[in-house]
Amino acid sequence: MRHAGGMTRLEGWPGVNDTRLKVGKRSVRVLRAGKPGGEPQILVHGLAGFSSTWVEVIEGLAAHGPVVAPDLPGFGRTPLLPGERISVGGYAKFVLQLADSLGWDRFTLHGNSMGGLIATMLAARHPERVRRLVLVSPALPPRSPVGFLMPSRTTVDAMVPIAMTSLGAAALGVAGRDAEDLGTRRDRRLLQLIYPDPDAVNPMVLDLLAADMSDEVMTPSQRRQHVLAATRSIAKLWTNPRHAWRAVDQIISPTLLLGGTRDALIPARVLRSVLARRRDWEGHVLEDRRHALMLEDPETYLDLVATWQARSADAA
């Protein structure tokens, strides 16, 4: 890694800088790329994830305008403030504070998994701020709580290894239990939630994710507490799905929805029900793709986003 002007340039991704921003009273770790001008973009990671889950697409997205991917408070390298409580609503407010700190009145918002739920709630409540919306396997609930009682076979198969980990729901954001697992790729079943072939994963990506899960960054106990707090907030929305679905109805931003038929965490039927409800959205539920398309297949992610952006710009 090379350091320049207080930033760390990521080895392997020369156009991406690892730095910190002052947002309110806290110092926030972000990955950023691109120059002023164009369409600003904010990338929001999933439960137990980090800004580094977006690293494979940041440079490509920067062709459209400046990009910032933060570590949400309580995850990665962004601390919680004293007495602060984790919630989906709190994270939506944080994203707006981040945009204000950057001087971005309007921006495109990308969200994966829990980040997709956060992005949905933010776009519904603040349509004047979100120019476009990209949802990647968003953690939206089934239309009815009965959906919890009928999980897909893919979901059942995936839940067995997740239940055996100390972090449980951590696989919603990234694919491992701790830095050693990510670094050595011993936990193949969890990696397969994102990658069809764990042995083919770019080792530099695994090293970056492992560094963000280091005990030097956050203790396992702290990480577990934060994951459980975020999970409780998601569960509260899922047990009364009307709130999330009302937000889906209220969004006016041009929206792209991406997911996969092999996603063990957000079933394809949920994504298809969203697209049936919002026929004005563009959607792609891709065969054999999993939970985090931007990590699994960054080229396809970038191609779909670029084509959609051009199409929505022409329509506007």
Side-chain angles (χ1 to χ4, degrees):
M1 294 183 181
R2 297 174 298 180
H3 294 267
M7 296 184 179
T8 300
R9 194 164 297 168
L10 293 183
E11 184 179 355
W13 299 276
V16 180
N17 291 308
D18 189 341
T19 186
R20 304 195 74 86
L21 290 177
K22 188 72 171 178
V23 179
K25 297 181 179 180
R26 84 171 94 235
S27 174
V28 176
R29 183 273 189 105
V30 301
L31 298 183
R32 65 186 308 177
K35 299 178 180 179
E39 188 172 317
Q41 300 165 85
I42 297 176
L43 319 181
V44 186
H45 64 73
L47 178 63
F50 329 102
S51 55
S52 50
T53 60
W54 296 96
V55 70
E56 292 278 68
V57 298
I58 290 177
E59 288 178 295
L61 292 175
H64 306 287
V67 179
V68 167
D71 285 353
L72 294 173
F75 293 104
R77 301 171 189 269
T78 300
L80 289 173
L81 296 175
E84 185 177 17
R85 301 182 66 178
I86 288 175
S87 70
V88 170
Y91 280 147
K93 293 177 181 178
F94 165 78
V95 173
L96 287 180
Q97 291 172 348
L98 173 69
D100 290 341
S101 297
L102 292 162
W104 294 354
D105 292 331
R106 300 189 73 208
F107 50 88
T108 291
L109 184 59
H110 301 239
N112 172 232
S113 195
M114 179 184 75
L117 180 58
I118 294 165
T120 297
M121 305 307 286
L122 192 159
R125 295 171 182 170
H126 298 278
E128 76 283 359
R129 302 299 301 272
V130 180
R131 182 174 180 180
R132 304 181 215 252
L133 183 64
V134 183
L135 303 176
V136 193
S137 297
L140 294 170
R143 289 286 304 277
S144 167
V146 174
F148 297 121
L149 305 178
M150 298 182 293
S152 68
R153 177 57 186 271
T154 305
T155 301
V156 172
D157 290 344
M159 287 302 133
V160 174
I162 295 172
M164 296 171 63
T165 72
S166 60
L167 291 183
L172 280 169
V174 75
R177 291 179 292 184
D178 52 37
E180 185 179 27
D181 284 331
L182 282 171
T184 63
R185 291 173 289 169
R186 290 187 305 182
D187 201 331
R188 294 174 57 86
R189 290 177 298 177
L190 284 173
L191 283 173
Q192 285 171 345
L193 290 172
I194 292 177
Y195 298 107
D197 181 7
D199 291 330
V201 181
N202 180 352
M204 295 180 70
V205 173
L206 291 184
D207 289 344
L208 191 60
L209 296 174
D212 286 340
M213 292 191 79
S214 168
D215 291 350
E216 296 178 359
V217 175
M218 188 181 302
T219 68
S221 176
Q222 289 173 319
R223 192 178 297 117
R224 186 179 302 110
Q225 291 173 6
H226 298 168
V227 167
L228 291 175
T231 302
R232 283 193 291 267
S233 180
I234 295 171
K236 186 175 181 180
L237 285 169
W238 276 45
T239 53
N240 188 358
R242 288 176 296 177
H243 294 300
W245 282 89
R246 189 178 302 122
V248 168
D249 290 340
Q250 291 172 340
I251 290 171
I252 63 173
S253 308
T255 299
L256 174 66
L257 178 66
L258 301 175
T261 61
R262 293 290 301 278
D263 190 336
L265 299 167
I266 306 300
R269 67 170 180 266
V270 173
L271 302 181
R272 291 186 177 117
S273 66
V274 174
L275 293 173
R277 191 177 182 102
R278 291 300 308 256
R279 296 185 181 278
D280 55 321
W281 291 7
E282 181 170 327
H284 301 272
V285 182
L286 305 172
E287 289 295 325
D288 295 326
R289 296 301 194 275
R290 289 162 168 76
H291 189 61
L293 185 66
M294 70 285 186
L295 277 172
E296 178 189 3
D297 191 348
E299 292 80 9
T300 295
Y301 186 87
L302 291 170
D303 286 346
L304 290 172
V305 169
T307 302
W308 167 73
Q309 285 182 316
R311 188 180 298 119
S312 61
D314 289 343

